[in-house]
Amino acid sequence: MIGLISATAAGAAARDRLAAAWPDRTRVYDGPVADAVRTAFAECDRLVCFLATGAVVRLVAPLLHGKTDDPGVVCVDEAGRFAVSLLGGHGGGANELAREVGEVLGAEPVVTTATDAVGLPGLDTLGLPVEGDVAAVSRALLDGEAVALRAEVTWPLPPLPVAAEGAYTVRVTDRLVEPGDGEAVLRPPTLVVGVGASKGAPVEEVLGLVGDALREAGLSAASVAELATVDAKAGEPGLVEAARRLGVPLVTHPAGELARVEVPNPSDAPLAAVGTPSVAEAAALVGGGELLVPKRKSAGSPAMATCAVVRRQGRGRLAVVGLGPGARDLLTPRARDELRRASVLVGLDQYVDQIRDLLRPGTRVLESGLGAEEERARTAVEEARRGQAVALIGSGDAGVYAMASPALAEASDDIDVVGVPGVTAALAAGALLGAPLGHDHVSISLSDLHTPWEVIERRVRAAAEADLVVTFYNPRSRGRDWQLPKALAVLAGHRAPATPVGVVRNASRADESVRLTTLAALDPATVDMMTVVTVGNTATRDIAGRMVTPRGYRWQEETR
């Protein structure tokens, strides 16, 4: 919960805007400011104080316990110009909160933590438990000193400017190791603990068994991702409480699914009790992985719990990111986040140049020229299969005549794939032309490099007969100069010569051009590959120099 505190009418107005935007995330604290801050500090994960930073410093100073315990605090000034991350920038989430507050209120987020200031991900912001000499390693990264990455298990990390060797080390492991001098240890959630339990098994017996199994195998409890068991034990109090104390979910599987998992130590007892010859081993292995600890029993007499431990390799992550039509302000916040999250960026060289300044230091860039789409798709998938966090970029929306389809044709279920939508060329052009896409519409590429012309022509004819607004992508190049005239001729057989046609080149970029003409007057020679051509339907009109397609024919008839 986010506590909201204000002292003046102006502050209260901004506070109320934030409360209205986030009704389920915020709580307003009224009354004397000192009392409100004290109460909110104890009850909330984060605070937004519409007060001067000096006042908030004095109010929270007596309440501070430590960076791992204190809530994040953001201050917003009286005029609502700045959202200052004051306390708990990383651990308390104040940096991200300052950015979110800025988006809602139109304020400038002020973040002063060193890693954020230079674009480096903080080691304590990666969503993984981190131990050791975190401050020293972070300083070394900031100072450009050689920091080695020692990854004992695979996990998709954001970019870090690391070297092969160095006096400092970032170690990625699920092993129970003590960090050395100048070493920060990241604990990825790679371990799955399968558990079985008799009815009424005490939580202490379950936790003792799991703790002993991990410790004797040299594994860290901080890397446990889940406890797993059979559906029949979903409500077993000892398992539910054990998962709660470990801070992980209790994941359950149907007995039939577990029965199909090959295990080294099947037993008749669980088969009779819950319908599967294995619970602990099968539940741990159901998603694949390496069995590190075979089934073992608890020390009780009789033993009331069993467990097994499996290591699952971290899955690589492929984000297919649409960059929009070119203007920086049409690049979505989600796309920005994915660009900063990726340790590997794959893309067409000219698109890479558009967003190179947004990449974090240490990002590995794999760029290539025109005509290498399938090669880029294969490269991106291969990097993800190596456990990397990969961003594959395309212009507009990556799923529209872009990189998503070749990439997903290569990808299997061994990696995670995330699609990040972008503003398409058709939408960008439509916004510049007016409202040409106000009714049913279709996009058709006139490039016959991958699609036979006979297929393209059949689609154009179908769109013409269905009276759909048509946006042509890839309309004309030096080597393909006859397809657009032929497509326009097909449409002309079903539409009047005065049908509005919009011609937009380089939509949203510095050299954009927008022209409204007609089906009869359009000269195809004025069109190239950087252009989209939008042809209206029989209801589309030129109204005050704007291309408008009514939402319905009845509306259009009534307003003539």
Side-chain angles (χ1 to χ4, degrees):
M1 186 61 67
I2 302 171
L4 305 180
I5 301 153
S6 62
T8 66
R15 175 203 67 192
D16 292 344
R17 286 174 58 197
L18 207 58
W22 300 337
D24 299 325
R25 301 174 58 193
T26 56
R27 180 185 304 160
V28 173
Y29 286 81
D30 292 317
V33 170
D35 294 341
V37 169
R38 187 161 46 250
T39 303
F41 201 90
E43 295 179 350
C44 296
D45 301 318
R46 291 174 290 174
L47 279 66
V48 180
C49 299
F50 296 85
L51 304 164
T53 54
V56 177
V57 167
R58 287 189 292 273
L59 289 170
V60 303
L63 309 175
L64 301 180
H65 295 290
K67 65 182 299 181
T68 60
D69 302 315
D70 297 330
V73 178
V74 170
C75 292
V76 179
D77 65 291
E78 185 77 4
R81 295 173 300 172
F82 303 104
V84 182
S85 174
L86 183 69
L87 178 69
H90 287 165
N95 289 352
E96 182 58 30
L97 180 59
R99 297 185 182 101
E100 291 184 84
V101 170
E103 289 179 7
V104 174
L105 301 181
E108 180 72 23
V110 179
V111 175
T112 59
T113 43
T115 50
D116 293 85
V118 298
L120 286 174
L123 296 178
D124 54 351
T125 68
L126 303 182
L128 304 178
V130 59
E131 307 167 9
D133 204 352
V134 179
V137 175
S138 297
R139 281 196 301 272
L141 288 169
L142 287 167
D143 293 342
E145 298 186 44
V147 177
L149 176 64
R150 182 178 169 188
E152 298 173 11
V153 292
T154 302
W155 198 258
L157 296 174
L160 294 168
V162 292
E165 300 290 338
Y168 298 89
T169 304
V170 175
R171 186 175 181 183
V172 185
T173 184
D174 54 17
R175 292 287 177 185
L176 189 61
V177 295
E178 285 296 324
D181 292 338
E183 183 177 65
V185 176
L186 293 171
R187 303 286 192 191
T190 56
L191 304 178
V192 177
V193 180
V195 287
S198 302
K199 185 176 181 179
V203 63
E204 289 78 11
E205 185 169 340
V206 175
L207 288 173
L209 171 64
V210 171
D212 290 345
L214 293 170
R215 184 170 53 256
E216 292 172 19
L219 300 170
S220 172
S223 283
V224 174
E226 64 186 55
L227 295 189
T229 191
V230 66
D231 278 352
K233 296 296 179 179
E236 185 62 42
L239 298 184
V240 173
E241 178 61 16
R244 189 192 69 80
R245 292 192 194 181
L246 289 170
V248 299
L250 178 65
V251 177
T252 64
H253 304 278
E257 182 180 5
L258 297 186
R260 292 190 293 270
V261 179
E262 292 188 13
V263 298
N265 300 292
S267 172
D268 292 335
L271 180 61
V274 294
T276 173
S278 172
V279 173
E281 286 181 340
L285 284 166
V286 70
E290 176 188 5
L291 184 63
L292 302 179
V293 179
K295 182 182 73 174
R296 58 183 288 170
K297 296 181 180 180
S298 58
S301 183
M304 299 188 73
T306 59
C307 83
V309 183
V310 163
R311 174 187 289 137
R312 293 180 186 168
Q313 289 297 318
R315 290 166 60 87
R317 187 175 190 276
L318 173 61
V320 188
V321 181
L323 301 180
R328 181 58 61 84
D329 59 355
L330 291 181
L331 179 69
T332 67
R334 186 178 299 179
R336 288 173 181 261
D337 290 343
E338 289 295 345
L339 294 176
R340 294 174 63 78
R341 178 172 182 167
S343 59
V344 180
L345 182 88
V346 182
L348 179 67
D349 47 14
Q350 64 189 58
Y351 298 152
V352 171
D353 289 341
Q354 291 179 23
I355 48 83
R356 198 183 297 271
D357 62 302
L358 298 178
L359 304 179
R360 289 189 188 273
T363 304
R364 184 155 55 96
V365 177
L366 305 176
E367 53 188 312
S368 54
L370 286 168
E373 288 83 1
E374 293 181 357
E375 177 187 342
R376 285 195 292 275
R378 283 194 296 269
T379 297
V381 172
E382 288 168 2
E383 290 291 335
R385 285 183 175 142
R386 296 188 183 106
Q388 301 293 325
V390 182
L392 174 63
I393 59 173
S395 66
D397 183 283
V400 179
Y401 302 121
M403 293 306 301
S405 53
L408 269 60
E410 291 285 337
S412 52
D413 62 359
D414 57 348
I415 62 173
D416 295 325
V417 178
V418 178
V420 182
V423 178
T424 68
L427 295 177
L432 293 168
L433 291 167
L437 309 182
H439 208 299
D440 296 338
H441 54 275
V442 63
S443 295
I444 298 176
S445 171
L446 294 183
S447 172
D448 56 0
L449 295 177
H450 300 288
T451 306
W453 173 253
E454 294 76 16
V455 174
I456 297 173
E457 185 174 11
R458 188 163 65 245
R459 292 171 179 172
V460 174
R461 194 172 303 282
E465 293 173 352
D467 199 27
L468 297 173
V469 175
V470 181
T471 297
F472 289 124
Y473 280 70
N474 306 312
R476 184 178 180 274
S477 67
R478 284 191 295 269
R480 295 186 301 100
D481 59 0
W482 57 268
Q483 288 90 341
L484 179 59
K486 192 154 189 177
L488 294 174
V490 171
L491 291 176
H494 298 266
R495 302 184 190 178
T499 299
V501 175
V503 181
V504 179
R505 187 177 190 279
N506 282 335
S508 87
R509 301 184 186 184
D511 57 345
E512 76 176 15
S513 64
V514 182
R515 182 160 47 96
L516 186 58
T517 182
T518 66
L519 189 56
L522 174 61
D523 180 4
T526 63
V527 173
D528 62 13
M529 284 289 287
M530 305 304 293
T531 306
V532 291
V533 177
T534 301
V535 182
N537 66 12
T538 58
T540 305
R541 296 290 182 267
D542 178 343
I543 300 176
R546 302 182 185 93
M547 189 174 177
V548 180
T549 302
R551 290 184 61 186
Y553 287 88
R554 181 179 302 173
W555 175 87
Q556 192 270 334
E557 291 171 357
E558 291 173 351
T559 56
R560 281 183 177 175

